[in-house]
Amino acid sequence: RPPRSTLSSSSAASDVYKRQLQYIVPYFVQANVWVITALDLGVATARDNLMFLNGDFGPFALQVFWPSAGVHSIIIYSLVMMAFLIKMRIPRNRKIVYFAIGIFGTIFVNMIRIFSLSVYALKVTTDPEAWEEFHSVAGEIMFLPWLFIFLLVVTAIETKRLKKLESQKESKNNS
């Protein structure tokens, strides 16, 4: 790594940003270790962003960084959902609730992703190449359906709500 003085200010700012995003990773790793232990799937221990697993096929170590912990999907979710909610005729409080529910849902999906990667190492294989193949598709396989389903559910709820409001207006006008 080049000395700090040779880095541009945008690169230094990017490093700070990445360190801040990395801050949440140890909590995800600890939660994953807790679930693995509670379900008795193997031996799992954690230290910072490192997870040490020992399962049916031997030991395996995982190092989790913020992109793998799903920070990218949270950013993508936020951008998509903001654009989606801006276009919908929904009261602001409902938009905030939908946005918050979606953030928690996205975090939960990312926890499932980390868990599934761990289970793959514990129960399927500790071969790094096979594990990397699974890792390369696991995030998109879980995040994109979640995002699509969540958007469909919000649309269905709001369409039903708007139809109900319109029918109530018509009832009042006909009275």
Side-chain angles (χ1 to χ4, degrees):
R1 180 179 170 124
R4 178 75 63 198
S5 61
T6 63
L7 294 174
S8 70
S9 61
S10 65
S11 179
S14 176
D15 286 350
V16 169
Y17 174 68
K18 289 175 183 175
R19 279 194 303 273
Q20 289 172 343
L21 294 175
Q22 189 66 24
Y23 178 77
I24 65 169
V25 172
Y27 298 105
F28 284 23
V29 171
Q30 285 292 341
N32 187 60
V33 166
W34 183 86
V35 171
I36 289 169
T37 303
L39 296 176
D40 197 26
L41 296 173
V43 177
T45 57
R47 182 169 170 254
D48 297 324
N49 69 329
L50 293 171
M51 195 172 359
F52 303 98
L53 305 169
N54 199 352
D56 296 351
F57 297 93
F60 197 79
L62 296 178
Q63 189 169 20
V64 182
F65 294 100
W66 63 271
S68 293
V71 176
H72 278 151
S73 58
I74 292 170
I75 293 167
I76 292 167
Y77 163 81
S78 297
L79 295 172
V80 169
M81 198 62 179
M82 281 190 281
F84 176 76
L85 290 173
I86 286 170
K87 294 286 185 184
M88 292 196 73
R89 295 182 308 159
I90 306 172
R92 185 177 9 189
N93 289 345
R94 291 179 74 86
K95 288 180 180 181
I96 292 168
V97 168
Y98 287 136
F99 189 80
I101 290 170
I103 288 287
F104 287 115
T106 303
I107 290 169
F108 183 72
V109 167
N110 289 321
M111 295 294 296
I112 292 172
R113 177 177 181 253
I114 294 171
F115 176 74
S116 68
L117 292 168
S118 301
V119 170
Y120 193 83
L122 289 165
K123 299 295 181 186
V124 178
T125 185
T126 54
D127 175 49
E129 288 180 19
W131 186 89
E132 190 56 45
E133 286 177 21
F134 180 67
H135 172 261
S136 67
V137 296
E140 289 77 15
I141 285 175
M142 294 175 199
F143 171 68
L144 293 176
W146 150 251
L147 180 61
F148 181 71
I149 290 167
F150 185 68
L151 292 174
L152 281 177
V153 168
V154 169
T155 302
I157 290 169
E158 288 305 313
T159 300
K160 188 174 181 177
R161 187 182 70 81
L162 285 174
K163 284 181 181 178
K164 185 177 176 182
L165 288 174
E166 287 173 8
S167 71
Q168 287 174 349
K169 268 186 184 177
E170 287 178 17
S171 295
K172 280 185 179 180
N173 290 341
N174 293 335
S175 309

